Amino acid sequence: MQHSPEFTALCADAKNRVTEISPETVCALLKEDNCPTLIDVRETAEFTAGHLPDAKHLSRGIIEIHIHRLIQKDEPVILYCGGGNRSLLAADNLKKMGYTQVQSMSEGFRGWVERRFETVSE
């Protein structure tokens, strides 16, 4: 998908503040006992069609409003979306809100599926 220069600049700016984590690293973390909370920020229909195992759903439009119901500000959390941009922007906002251990999965769900990692659907 071709993004506007303004959107591309916005995402590049967010990358200065947000740590991105690869799908491979997320896959390895899922096998650990203390895996960070995974939050899918895609739209409901996208989430229902398929998502990472054990992921919670808070779409990009409401995550800032409801995040306090899922995690504390010092808990580790990994956000992901379809391609990595929405989760990057959401992670940037959560960091601005005082959440200290927020990461964004690079390449998003698309990268996860391309690697043929496990998915679940509702």
Side-chain angles (χ1 to χ4, degrees):
M1 171 184 286
Q2 184 70 19
H3 297 298
S4 72
E6 295 83 2
F7 182 75
T8 301
L10 186 66
C11 292
D13 181 55
K15 285 184 180 194
N16 292 321
R17 294 178 293 280
V18 174
T19 301
E20 289 187 290
I21 185 169
S22 71
E24 290 84 3
T25 302
V26 173
C27 188
L29 288 171
L30 281 174
K31 297 173 185 167
E32 296 182 5
D33 291 334
N34 294 322
C35 179
T37 301
L38 296 173
I39 300 179
D40 187 320
V41 303
R42 297 176 301 153
E43 297 299 320
T44 301
E46 293 173 289
F47 179 80
T48 302
H51 55 86
L52 276 65
D54 298 321
K56 310 282 188 225
H57 179 245
L58 282 177
S59 64
R60 176 72 185 96
I62 62 168
I63 191 168
E64 294 89 351
I65 297 168
H66 297 293
I67 188 66
H68 69 281
R69 296 180 181 168
L70 289 181
I71 64 165
Q72 300 295 314
K73 288 189 175 183
D74 61 347
E75 288 182 56
V77 61
I78 300 168
L79 308 182
Y80 72 92
C81 60
N85 290 319
R86 288 177 284 179
S87 59
L88 183 65
L89 296 174
D92 193 30
N93 277 347
L94 294 186
K95 289 183 76 80
K96 290 174 184 175
M97 292 172 65
Y99 290 86
T100 59
Q101 296 192 58
V102 181
Q103 296 178 308
S104 175
M105 186 172 78
S106 62
E107 302 178 58
F109 189 68
R110 193 169 25 250
W112 184 268
V113 170
E114 286 173 0
R115 288 163 177 80
R116 300 180 185 203
F117 293 150
E118 179 186 4
T119 63
V120 294
S121 57
E122 300 293 306

